Amino acid sequence: MQFIRKNYKIIITFLIVLILTELAVSCYLIEKFHETYLSKTEALIVALDRAGLRESDVRDTEIEFKHRDGRAWYEVEFEQAAPPCLDYTYSIDAETGEILFSQTEQ
């Protein structure tokens, strides 16, 4: 019985340490992400500026953060609310704000 209680203490201690470590790493990554990359709002502003539109001029806005092979970018899509109702798609570098790709469709 003593052996089982001792193992429970070890397991519980291990789980607590694991949870605290995960929290610390998560906080670090969130802080690093926040300082390193543009926000979704900033990415939208870059796309709207390129399109020559304001936020009130568009609808169906979708912003998705993506990353691969050490690169990070935002996929920004929206539709012009008033005619000619064009669909806009932009890929924006999450670090620099540079437009990597743009497409406008009817």
Side-chain angles (χ1 to χ4, degrees):
M1 190 57 101
Q2 186 72 9
F3 177 74
I4 293 174
R5 286 185 187 166
K6 187 175 183 179
N7 281 341
Y8 281 141
K9 288 179 182 178
I10 292 171
I11 291 171
I12 290 172
T13 303
F14 175 76
L15 289 174
I16 290 171
V17 169
L18 184 66
I19 290 169
L20 292 174
T21 302
E22 184 179 340
L23 285 172
V25 169
S26 296
C27 289
Y28 168 76
L29 291 175
I30 288 169
E31 187 64 31
K32 182 178 179 184
F33 171 80
H34 179 69
E35 292 177 1
T36 304
Y37 300 128
L38 299 172
S39 67
K40 286 184 175 185
T41 302
E42 291 168 323
L44 177 61
I45 290 169
V46 170
L48 290 171
D49 187 52
R50 173 61 72 91
L53 299 169
R54 295 179 306 226
E55 194 168 355
S56 61
D57 297 333
V58 299
R59 63 179 177 218
D60 298 331
T61 303
E62 293 181 29
I63 306 168
E64 187 176 347
F65 179 79
K66 296 189 174 190
H67 59 89
R68 183 178 20 177
D69 299 329
R71 299 223 36 191
W73 68 95
Y74 286 100
E75 291 289 330
V76 180
E77 298 177 5
F78 52 84
E79 181 182 333
Q80 189 174 358
C85 298
L86 300 174
D87 289 326
Y88 294 86
T89 302
Y90 292 94
S91 294
I92 299 171
D93 187 291
E95 289 186 55
T96 66
E98 175 187 356
I99 296 177
L100 307 171
F101 170 82
S102 66
Q103 181 178 8
T104 306
E105 294 180 336
Q106 196 72 15

